[in-house]
Amino acid sequence: MVVFTEKKQIDKHLQGLKDKQYRIGFVPTMGALHQGHLSLVVKALEQNDYVVVSIFVNPTQFDNATDLKNYPRTLARDTELLATVSDAIIVYAPDVSDIYEVETKAEQFNFDGLEYEMEGRFRNGHFDGVGTIVKRLFEIVKPNHAYFGQKDFQQLAIIKKMVEKHQIPVAIHGCPILRETNGLALSSRNERLKPDYKKAAPFIYKTLKSAKKQFGTKSAKYVTEWVEKAFSNHDLLQLEYFIIADEKTLKPVIRKSKNKTYRAFIAVYADDIRLIDNIALN
């Protein structure tokens, strides 16, 4: 397994592989890798000859300076973990200057309104930062296929929209959420949970499953109010939002339709750690 820190280096290496008609898969990450990331890498290895894993904590997608500062950075451990998976993995771990060069600033994007829903309401400029880094990584790696987890479902939808609008020649694959045995969605942030909050956090998925069951017979308004009440009675977890939305538009549901597919989205604070999750409802 090889590790590159500069885009000129990795571009030269990948061009040699592409000249031999090898297929390149891509898994962009911010590091602090866990089994959820590895499941994306394994899927990519099944469909490609080589897989690039980028490890880069992208400053332009953070709206909270403290969150950016505290985000775990474990490059040595991450590369060791990837080395146990396959020798067909190529790591790209650049500095901020290699990605942004002169100015660390996000581009402005139009995602046809997807960026204004859910996370977009609560994290100012977040999706411009996401679009900027993913677009630049696509331009550097030029993969055939790219893989993203469905835990960040809105991000996945936005990346698909960006690829469509900018006509980027890459196939986007969304992969299932991996969970701990207690149901908590795997996340790099989980490492920072204090013991009491770690114990309490599975309540998030438990609530999502109950919401799904109720959505079969109850209205979206009823289910939303039930979830909000459940969290208002919780001693440790603070609900930021719970939204039932159309999977295509990500707009909140007013009235259910038999012809549409719905998903429930949630964001919760466990002390100062922000956790997100979602579940398909039909």
Side-chain angles (χ1 to χ4, degrees), residues 139-200:
E139 290 168 351
I140 293 166
V141 177
K142 302 178 183 68
N144 301 99
H145 302 268
Y147 302 80
F148 298 83
Q150 289 183 343
K151 182 174 75 70
D152 296 291
F153 190 90
Q154 185 176 11
Q155 173 180 278
L156 173 63
I158 275 173
I159 289 167
K160 287 180 176 178
K161 179 63 66 174
M162 181 187 71
V163 165
E164 172 192 324
K165 296 191 76 165
H166 290 265
Q167 299 182 324
I168 302 172
V170 56
I172 304 298
H173 303 265
C175 301
I177 301 170
L178 254 66
R179 301 182 180 276
E180 297 184 15
T181 54
N182 59 19
L184 180 62
L186 290 180
S187 170
S188 303
R189 299 173 190 268
N190 294 356
E191 295 182 10
R192 294 167 51 204
L193 289 170
K194 297 171 184 175
D196 287 351
Y197 292 93
K198 177 82 169 179
K199 187 176 180 180

Side-chain angles (χ1 to χ4, degrees), residues 22-85:
Y22 287 126
R23 288 175 299 177
I24 306 297
F26 181 42
V27 179
T29 83
M30 293 206 298
L33 302 184
H34 50 66
Q35 291 302 316
H37 293 113
L38 294 189
S39 70
L40 302 180
V41 175
V42 169
K43 183 66 175 179
L45 286 166
E46 291 174 357
Q47 300 179 342
N48 301 274
D49 301 296
Y50 289 89
V51 173
V52 176
V53 178
S54 63
I55 298 175
F56 179 69
V57 181
N58 176 40
T60 64
Q61 70 189 69
F62 286 82
D63 61 337
N64 184 315
T66 302
D67 197 18
L68 172 60
K69 179 181 177 181
N70 292 336
Y71 200 89
R73 292 162 171 83
T74 56
L75 180 59
R77 194 193 73 177
D78 292 343
T79 54
E80 288 175 6
L81 188 61
L82 290 169
T84 67
V85 178

Side-chain angles (χ1 to χ4, degrees), residues 4-6 55-57 59 92-101:
F4 295 101
T5 59
E6 297 180 8
I55 298 175
F56 179 69
V57 181
Y92 177 43
D95 290 330
V96 172
S97 60
D98 192 60
I99 293 291
Y100 286 98
E101 297 179 350

Side-chain angles (χ1 to χ4, degrees), residues 8-22:
K8 288 182 179 179
Q9 296 172 336
I10 193 169
D11 178 65
K12 182 178 179 181
H13 182 77
L14 290 175
Q15 191 56 56
L17 298 176
K18 292 168 187 173
D19 288 344
K20 297 176 181 178
Q21 303 301 309
Y22 287 126

Side-chain angles (χ1 to χ4, degrees), residues 205-215 223 226 279:
Y205 185 53
K206 180 181 178 181
T207 303
L208 282 178
K209 289 194 295 182
S210 294
K212 177 174 182 174
K213 185 175 181 180
Q214 293 185 60
F215 189 70
V223 176
W226 179 85
I279 193 170

